[in-house]
Amino acid sequence: MRALLALRAWGPTLAGTVVSAAAVYDDAVAVVADGQATTFAELHERTNALARAFTNRGVHAGSVVGLVARNGHPFVESCVALSKVGADVLLLNAAAAPAQLIEICRAEGVSALVYDDVFTEVADTLGPDTICFPTSTLDALVRSHTTVGPTPPERPGRTILLTSGTTGRPKGATRGAPPVSFDTLGLLDAIPYHQGEAMLVAAPLFHAWGFAHLSLALALGSPLVLLPQFDPDAVVHELASRKVGVLVAVPVMLRRILDCAAAQSPDLPALRVVPLSGSAIPAGLAEAFMDRFGEVVFSLYGSTEAGSVSVANPADLRAAPGTAGHPNHGVSVRIVDAHGHPLRVGASGHIVVRSDLVFEGYTDGRSSTTFDGHVDTGDVGHLDDDGRLFVEGRSDDMIVSGGENVHPREVEDLLATHPDVVEAAVIGVDDTDFGQRLAAYVVRRPDATLDADAVRDHVRNHLARFKVPRDVVFVDELPRNAAGKVVRRALPDLDGGPAS
C-alpha cells in the first residue's frame, strides 16, 4: 500500500520508483559500486537529504542541472535526488572533452552542475552564476541535511538525453516521466528480466541504454552493480563473484569480454541475459558470444528520439544474423520513401516509428521529421517476410559512387567476417571522377599480415565491384563514443590521396 501511495504521489518518475521500492524492498541491496553496497531504504534516505541540500543551494523544480559523472553511487543518488526536487537533469557524456561539455552546458541553459572532480575545469569555466556540486562533497551534504523527504514537485522533472553526436554537436532530447504503456510492457515481454536478479550495467549511465536500466533495476528490486569504467577483467570478475544474471552492455564490449574469457576461462552459470544496444553488432559477434556463454544475447534497436523500437532475441540472431528483430508490442514500424509513402516488404527505405516512448522534442525547439505520426529515425533499412527489421545504416551515411548507392554497413559487416579483421569502418570521400569513393579503415588482428589488396579482394569476391574500397587504411582502433558507435569524423584524414 505504501508503494502504491508513493507512485500515486510521485508518478512514474525516478523519485517515485525509489520511494515505492524502499517501501517494498527496504533492506535489500539497491546499488553496489566501489566495494560499497547501499540498500533501498538507505538510498531513499540519502536522496531525501541530498534533495534538501540541492534545494538549499538554489536548485528548484524546473532548474536545468548538468550531471557529468562516472557510473557509481554519486550518479545514481544525484539523479534520484534531482528527480525528488523536480529539476530537469541533463546527462552529460563523461568521455567528452571539457570544451565540448562547456559548449553543451551553455547551449542547454544549465544553471547547476554536479560533477566528478576530473571535470573541475568545466565548473570553473562556467563561472560563478552556475551552482556547482563536486561529487566528492555529496556525502558531507547528505550528513548535514535532514532525511525527511521533500514533498512531490508540482511538475515532474524531465530527463534530457544527448544525441550521439557522431556527425556534429550532440543535441538535447527531452523525455518526461516514462508512461506505463504497452511499449514499456513490450520491452519487458521481449527481454526476460527477473525481479531481484543482480544486474551489472557496464554501459554508461549517461547514455539512454544505461539510464533505462538504472530505472529498471530499481523498479525490479534488482541489485544494480556498477563499475566506474569498462574493464573486461573487472566485468568478468563481478559476473562470477556476484552471480550476476543480467549484463547490460554495448556491442563493442562483447569482443573484449570474449578475449578476456579466452584467457581466464571463467564459469558464469548465473549469466542468463545480455541485452545490447547503442550500435550495430559486428557480424558473427553475437553467435560467437552465445557459442561460449549460451543463448543469452538480446539486441535492442532504438534511438534517443524514438525510444526502444525492436528486439532481436537469440533465436532471431541465429536465424537471421544482423537483424534488429521484431518491433516491440505497441510500436509501429514502417519503411517509407522520401515522401513518406510505404514501401513493399524487402525494399530499403527510411525507418519511421510511432510509439509512446517517442521523445518530446529537441531542447532547441526543433523536432524530427514525421510521417502520419511516425518519427523518422534517420536510419534506413527493410523488413523481411517474417516481419524482422534490418537496419542498413544512417541515411546521411549513404555513399553515392559513380551513381551507385552504397550503405557502409554492408561492406563493414563483410570485412568483419575476414579472419584477420577485428573490425572496420567504411566512409565516402570526395572523388573527382566518381563523386565519392569508398575508404575502409581496418583494425587487423595481432600478428596478421593482411594488406590492402587482400582487403579489396575479399570485398570483390563477395560484393559488386562498385562496393570495393579504393582506399584502405589500417588503424590500431576505431574512434568510438560511449555507446560504441564509430565517430566517423574522427577517422584519420587521407591527406588527399589513396592510402594503403
Side-chain angles (χ1 to χ4, degrees):
M1 181 58 70
R2 289 197 305 273
L4 290 173
L5 290 174
L7 282 176
R8 181 179 179 183
W10 290 91
T13 61
L14 198 56
T17 299
V18 169
V19 175
S20 61
V24 175
Y25 305 117
D26 194 23
D27 291 333
V29 173
V31 182
V32 180
D34 300 319
Q36 180 182 0
T38 301
T39 68
F40 282 92
E42 290 168 339
L43 180 61
H44 179 35
E45 291 182 352
R46 286 179 61 84
T47 54
N48 281 346
L50 195 54
R52 296 283 187 182
F54 287 152
T55 301
N56 289 345
R57 288 282 303 277
V59 177
H60 52 78
S63 296
V64 178
V65 181
L67 172 59
V68 55
R70 303 290 182 182
N71 286 11
H73 291 289
F75 187 105
V76 176
E77 293 178 357
S78 297
C79 282
V80 176
L82 290 167
S83 180
K84 289 182 175 181
V85 172
D88 294 344
V89 183
L90 172 65
L91 302 181
L92 294 163
N93 188 336
Q100 186 180 41
L101 292 174
I102 292 164
E103 179 187 3
I104 292 170
C105 285
R106 288 173 172 164
E108 300 295 333
V110 163
S111 61
L113 183 70
V114 181
Y115 61 97
D116 283 348
D117 288 346
V118 294
F119 299 103
T120 299
E121 177 187 345
V122 177
D124 291 345
T125 304
L126 290 176
D129 291 336
T130 303
I131 309 166
C132 293
F133 300 93
T135 56
S136 58
T137 67
L138 297 187
D139 273 336
L141 290 176
V142 168
R143 290 193 299 270
S144 62
H145 288 79
T146 177
T147 59
V148 177
T151 58
E154 291 185 5
R155 169 179 92 62
R158 302 176 302 168
T159 302
I160 304 173
L161 302 168
L162 292 172
T163 58
S164 60
T166 52
T167 57
R169 182 178 73 80
K171 301 184 290 295
T174 59
R175 290 191 183 279
V180 179
S181 66
F182 285 112
D183 293 7
T184 308
L185 298 176
L187 180 59
L188 292 174
D189 180 59
I191 302 177
Y193 301 100
H194 286 176
Q195 186 178 26
E197 185 174 46
M199 182 184 297
L200 194 161
V201 179
L205 294 179
F206 60 76
H207 183 259
W209 186 233
F211 189 77
H213 283 86
L214 159 63
S215 305
L216 184 60
L218 294 174
L220 291 175
S222 296
L224 181 66
V225 182
L226 300 174
L227 297 169
Q229 59 187 11
F230 176 70
D231 178 331
D233 292 312
V235 167
V236 170
H237 173 75
E238 293 292 313
L239 292 175
S241 62
R242 299 190 186 277
K243 295 180 173 56
V244 171
V246 179
L247 168 63
V248 181
V250 297
V252 70
M253 295 176 177
L254 290 199
R255 174 60 61 192
R256 296 185 62 190
I257 292 172
L258 271 177
D259 292 342
C260 176
Q264 297 185 14
S265 299
D267 184 20
L268 304 176
L271 186 61
R272 195 179 55 81
V273 177
V274 181
L276 304 175
S277 189
S279 60
I281 303 178
L285 181 56
E287 298 95 307
F289 195 89
M290 291 191 292
D291 288 345
R292 175 65 177 79
F293 295 109
E295 306 302 286
V296 297
V297 177
F298 293 77
S299 177
L300 179 139
Y301 165 65
S303 70
T304 303
E305 296 86 351
S308 60
V309 176
S310 63
V311 173
N313 61 32
D316 291 325
L317 294 170
R318 292 287 193 188
T323 183
H326 294 87
N328 298 335
H329 292 301
V331 177
S332 172
V333 175
R334 294 179 182 176
I335 307 298
V336 303
D337 63 19
H339 304 290
H341 301 134
L343 298 175
R344 60 177 175 78
V345 171
S348 296
H350 296 265
I351 301 172
V352 298
V353 176
R354 184 180 64 201
S355 80
D356 289 342
L357 294 181
V358 168
F359 79 139
E360 296 174 352
Y362 296 115
T363 50
D364 61 7
R366 295 181 300 112
S367 60
S368 289
T369 304
T370 59
F371 300 102
D372 189 26
H374 289 64
V375 170
D376 190 344
T377 63
D379 292 325
V380 292
H382 67 274
L383 292 165
D384 69 8
D385 291 332
D386 292 322
R388 294 190 186 96
L389 177 65
F390 290 78
V391 181
E392 297 166 6
R394 297 290 295 172
S395 58
D396 50 11
D397 283 344
M398 187 176 73
I399 301 161
V400 182
S401 180
E404 301 284 359
N405 294 340
V406 182
H407 290 292
R409 183 175 172 183
E410 181 184 14
V411 184
E412 292 168 353
D413 283 347
L414 174 64
L415 290 175
T417 66
H418 194 287
D420 288 338
V421 173
V422 175
E423 57 182 352
V426 175
I427 64 171
V429 296
D430 292 339
D431 186 273
T432 54
D433 295 325
F434 295 93
Q436 286 183 305
R437 66 181 189 272
L438 273 64
Y441 292 79
V442 178
V443 180
R444 286 179 286 207
R445 295 194 181 280
D447 302 325
T449 58
L450 185 74
D451 61 16
D453 286 338
V455 170
R456 297 186 188 99
D457 287 343
H458 183 64
V459 178
R460 187 178 294 109
N461 291 337
H462 294 86
L463 298 176
R465 292 184 63 85
F466 63 83
K467 298 181 181 180
V468 176
R470 292 180 58 193
D471 302 328
V472 178
V473 184
F474 293 105
V475 294
D476 292 333
E477 62 180 7
L478 299 178
R480 294 182 180 272
N481 63 15
K485 294 180 180 178
V486 175
V487 183
R488 297 177 187 276
R489 68 175 184 278
L491 291 166
D493 290 333
L494 292 177
D495 297 325
S500 61

